[in-house]
Structure formats: structure tokens, C-alpha cells
Amino acid sequence: MADVNKLSIGILGGTGDQGKGLARRFALAGHPVLIGSRNAQRAQEAAESIGAGASGGENADVATRADIVIIAVPYEGHKALLESLRSELAGKIVVDCVNPLGFDKKGAYALPVEEGSAAEQAAAVLPDSRVVAAFHHVSAVLLLDPAVEKVDLDVLVLGDDREATDAVQALAEAIPGVRGVYGGRLRNACQIEAFTANLISINRRYKAHAGIRITDI
């Protein structure tokens, strides 16, 4: 397993529940955590609500300073944000956990993405970054709940760079109860992102915060 203990984690979109939940867990695990937002004050307020040494700043500053950067913004602003940070993210491991979803009266459904998936879109926009897809199915409610000490979940990690996927698997396991599992090449990210719509349907029907576990490994 890769050694990621001393690496700083930047989270773009860290003022939203998913980003803030991941930031909280990584900060509690001892990682230096930087929360990014278009508004530095909002980012700092989110960091202060997390505590554990987290700090906040504008997206470009966080993208520059962090060792690993997690993208947790709404899909609508995904491509534009990455295009604006191409130089700041060059050479870095960029972890995309964006789920392109739509919602109507029937519930959640997967949106088509020209590049195939949000993660592949990130790779196309960031040719000099090492893009990995992960953390799509982690419940923000569980991540933010101080009563939940362990999160019962496998995080599927996809990418074309073995060293980068190993690092993200190790990062996932910094969250108590979580296991990082290699899930294939980046071209397979579309079904991982789309499966989030199924999980949302499961959670609504059973009033749960369901995740996934992979058996026999």
C-alpha cells in the first residue's frame, strides 16, 4: 500500500456536504486538509466548522498548494472549473468524485457525458494531471455524523496510472472502516458514476445510507 500519510489533501467543492464530509474524515485522520471554493471566506468558514486543522482558500490557491486534489463540485460547473485550473493541477493526482445526475419525478438518473464520464472529461481537460475516479458512493451524511466512527464501505478506485490509483486506495483507507478497491481503467468510470442513481433509489426506498462492499477479495 502506498504511503500517503504526509500528503496534503485539497478539496475543490469542499463547502458542499460531500466535499466537507471527506475533508472532515481526512483531517481527523491527520492529513493537512485545504478546502477550496470560489469564495475564500466560505471556504474558511467550512474549514472552521470541520476543525482538526483544516484551512480554506480560493480554488486556485488550494489547487496549487495541495499534494492531492479531490474534485467534488456539482457536475454543472465541473468542466469550466477544471479548465480554469489546468496549470495549477498539472503533475498532480486529481481525484474526481463527480456524479453527472439528473432528477425528475421518477428520481435520479444518469446524464450522458460527451467524453464518457465526468472522470474522462477531467482527463481530457487535464492532460498533464494524473486523473483517478473514486469516492462516488460515500454518504455525506455518514461522513459528517460525529456518532459514526467507522464507515462500512468499499471505495472503488479507477484509473490508468498504477501509482496514482495505489495512492488513492491508501487515502481511502485513512477513513476508518473503508477499504480502497481497484475497479478498473478510467474508461469504466461511467457505470460507477451512474450507479449512484441506483444507490439514491435504494436509500429513498429503505431510508438508509447504503454503500457497496466487494466480496471475495
Side-chain angles (χ1 to χ4, degrees):
M1 188 66 67
D3 182 6
V4 297
N5 288 331
K6 297 181 180 180
L7 298 183
S8 59
I9 311 301
I11 302 182
L12 307 186
T15 58
D17 287 345
Q18 189 74 13
K20 191 157 59 173
L22 289 170
R24 176 178 178 272
R25 294 290 172 163
F26 292 136
L28 290 173
H31 286 279
V33 169
L34 302 89
I35 290 178
S37 173
R38 289 176 294 181
N39 184 305
Q41 182 177 346
R42 282 191 64 205
Q44 187 56 36
E45 289 171 356
E48 290 172 358
S49 73
I50 292 167
S55 62
E58 292 184 350
N59 285 325
D61 179 54
V62 168
T64 299
R65 293 166 54 201
D67 295 315
I68 296 178
V69 178
I70 297 175
I71 310 301
V73 298
Y75 175 63
E76 292 74 19
H78 178 258
K79 187 173 185 178
L81 174 68
L82 296 181
E83 287 175 337
S84 72
L85 299 173
R86 186 179 286 118
S87 61
E88 289 87 348
L89 295 172
K92 296 180 185 287
I93 295 175
V94 175
V95 184
D96 201 296
C97 65
V98 174
N99 296 308
L101 298 177
F103 296 86
D104 60 18
K105 292 181 180 180
K106 296 181 179 180
Y109 61 95
L111 295 174
V113 179
E114 181 179 354
E115 295 84 355
S117 65
E120 289 171 290
Q121 183 180 87
V125 172
L126 304 172
D128 297 322
S129 300
R130 305 160 73 189
V131 175
V132 175
F135 300 111
H136 298 89
H137 307 140
V138 188
S139 165
V141 173
L142 297 182
L143 292 173
L144 289 167
D145 189 345
V148 177
E149 295 182 3
K150 293 185 176 182
V151 181
D152 184 17
L153 181 78
D154 284 341
V155 167
L156 293 178
V157 179
L158 297 89
D160 299 326
D161 182 316
R162 177 64 180 268
E163 186 179 34
T165 57
D166 284 352
V168 177
Q169 284 180 251
L171 182 62
E173 296 190 5
I175 302 173
V178 172
R179 182 176 61 163
V181 176
Y182 175 70
R185 297 280 187 164
L186 204 65
R187 67 183 182 182
N188 293 317
C190 55
Q191 55 261 40
I192 300 302
E193 296 170 5
F195 185 67
T196 306
N198 300 88
L199 278 178
I200 290 171
S201 299
I202 291 168
N203 289 333
R204 286 182 174 175
R205 173 64 64 90
Y206 296 101
K207 296 179 173 58
H209 302 291
I212 61 172
R213 281 291 194 194
I214 306 300
T215 63
D216 200 33
I217 57 171

